[in-house]
Amino acid sequence: MEGNVFVNEAISKAIADYIKFKERPDRAEFHSFLVVVIRTLVLIYGELDIVNPYRTNNALGLDTNLKKFGCSEEVLQELKRQILLYSQNSENESLQRELFVSIEKTLIDLFALRKKSVDVSEEVVAQFKSLLYLKNDLNVYKKELYQKFTPNSDILFYYLNNKLFEVKHNFTFTEFKDVALSAEAYQLAGFNAVEVMHLKEEEIENINNKVYHFFRIKDNDLNKRGRLDEAIRYYKKYGNTITSGNGYVDLLLLMSVIATGLLLVVVAGIQFMR
C-alpha cells in the first residue's frame, strides 16, 4: 500500500502515520489531529476495520465498515471531505477551526451510534473522552490544538454529554445548540431537555439562567459552567440541600450542621441522665 492513495491523500497519510507511530506514542506525529482522528475511529470500530481496508486498498470495504453502526452515506462522505479540506488548508485558521469542531462532532455522533447499537463499557467511554479535545486534557500536543481552535470552550464536552444522554434515554435532539447546557442539568432543574432544544437561543439562555439559579450559582460567576458541573455532582450525591456554590464552603456548612446535631444529642443525653 506504500506510495498509493487510499480514499484521499489526508486519510491515506493519517492511517500510514498511525501504523508507523502507534508503537512510539511519545512521538508528536502520533498526536497530530488527523492521526488522533484515525485513533478515534479505531476505538469506535476496531483496528482491523480501519487498517485492513487500507492495507488491501479497499476503499469500499472501509465505507462498509464505517457504516455498520448506522452512519449514513451522506455523513460518511462529508467526513472524508472535511478531513481532506482540513489537511489542505493549514494556512486558513478560521476554516480549520470550523472543520476541527465539525469533525470532532461527527466522531462523537459515530461513537453514539456504536453505543446505541452495542453495549459499551464505561472504560471505553473514558477512552473515547481521552481522545477528544477537552479543556482539562493533559496531553501537551492536544492541549495546544485545543487552545488554538476552542480556547476555554466546553462545546465538545457538552455535545458529547448530550449525545450520551440521548442514547441512555432513547430520544434524539433535533439540533444541538452551542448555548445549551447539559441535558442532565435541565432535567435536574425540572425542565424538559428535548423541549428546551427546540427553543430559540435567547429563550434557551433565559432558561439557563433559571438553571443556574436553581443550583444557586451567582450571575457574575466567571466559571458558571464549571460551577454547574460541581453543583450537579453535589446535587446527585446529597440532593437539593444547603449549598453555596463553593465546595469548600459547602463542606464547612455540612460539618457545622453535623456538629450542631451532635451537640443537641449530647445535651439531650445530659438532660436524660439528670
Side-chain angles (χ1 to χ4, degrees):
M1 182 63 212
E2 307 300 334
N4 295 327
V5 173
F6 173 66
V7 181
N8 62 47
E9 292 88 348
I11 291 177
S12 183
K13 183 178 187 307
I15 296 179
D17 284 347
Y18 165 76
I19 295 171
K20 181 178 180 180
F21 295 108
K22 70 174 183 175
E23 300 302 331
R24 290 179 283 175
D26 57 317
R27 293 286 297 268
E29 294 91 335
F30 189 66
H31 303 279
S32 66
F33 177 58
L34 293 186
V35 172
V36 172
V37 169
I38 298 303
R39 289 166 57 193
T40 307
L41 291 174
V42 166
L43 176 69
I44 297 171
Y45 296 96
E47 186 174 79
L48 293 180
D49 280 357
I50 306 301
V51 173
N52 276 5
Y54 167 80
R55 292 191 185 280
T56 58
N57 198 21
N58 182 4
L60 182 59
L62 178 68
D63 285 1
T64 299
N65 293 342
L66 293 179
K67 290 191 287 187
K68 71 179 182 180
F69 295 128
C71 175
S72 69
E73 178 70 20
E74 180 183 9
V75 169
L76 177 57
Q77 295 307 322
E78 179 63 13
L79 175 62
K80 292 191 291 186
R81 185 187 74 85
Q82 290 184 1
I83 289 174
L84 180 61
L85 277 177
Y86 180 92
S87 175
Q88 293 173 336
N89 289 275
S90 58
E91 302 302 317
N92 189 338
E93 186 170 321
S94 176
L95 177 59
Q96 275 207 322
R97 179 196 180 282
E98 180 182 333
L99 292 168
F100 170 84
V101 173
S102 182
I103 290 170
E104 286 285 282
K105 284 184 174 181
T106 300
L107 293 174
I108 292 172
D109 292 341
L110 296 178
F111 184 73
L113 286 174
R114 176 192 166 179
K115 199 170 190 309
K116 189 179 294 186
S117 299
V118 299
D119 185 44
V120 176
S121 68
E122 288 303 312
E123 180 182 0
V124 173
V125 172
Q127 290 173 0
F128 178 76
K129 287 181 180 179
S130 73
L131 290 170
L132 296 177
Y133 290 77
L134 305 177
K135 181 186 294 186
N136 297 322
D137 200 323
L138 299 179
N139 182 288
V140 292
Y141 302 107
K142 291 173 66 211
K143 190 73 173 179
E144 181 180 355
L145 207 58
Y146 166 86
Q147 293 292 354
K148 180 179 180 180
F149 290 134
T150 55
N152 301 314
S153 170
D154 287 315
I155 180 174
L156 296 176
F157 174 79
Y158 284 105
Y159 189 80
L160 172 65
N161 279 0
N162 279 322
K163 282 295 176 181
L164 294 179
F165 189 89
E166 288 178 26
V167 173
K168 183 177 179 180
H169 294 82
N170 197 30
F171 59 70
T172 304
F173 296 139
T174 56
E175 177 186 5
F176 174 83
K177 299 179 180 178
D178 292 346
V179 298
L181 304 176
S182 69
E184 188 173 44
Y186 292 124
Q187 183 185 45
L188 292 176
F191 294 97
N192 186 309
V194 179
E195 292 178 357
V196 171
M197 289 298 178
H198 285 83
L199 299 176
K200 296 178 180 178
E201 291 197 355
E202 310 85 69
E203 295 173 310
I204 293 177
E205 289 178 340
N206 183 46
I207 290 178
N208 288 353
N209 290 331
K210 294 178 180 178
V211 172
Y212 288 130
H213 290 163
F214 174 82
F215 286 103
R216 304 179 189 179
I217 298 171
K218 296 179 181 179
D219 292 335
N220 60 353
D221 194 321
L222 298 179
N223 185 30
K224 291 169 76 172
R225 290 214 174 192
R227 294 288 188 210
L228 180 61
D229 293 336
E230 294 175 5
I232 289 173
R233 289 193 294 270
Y234 184 97
Y235 185 97
K236 290 166 68 176
K237 188 172 182 179
Y238 299 109
N240 193 19
T241 54
I242 301 172
T243 176
S244 66
N246 182 292
Y248 177 70
V249 174
D250 288 340
L251 180 60
L252 293 178
L253 286 170
L254 183 60
M255 290 175 65
S256 68
V257 170
I258 293 172
T260 301
L262 290 174
L263 180 60
L264 290 174
V265 171
V266 171
V267 171
I270 292 173
Q271 292 295 328
F272 178 78
M273 291 175 65
R274 288 180 179 178

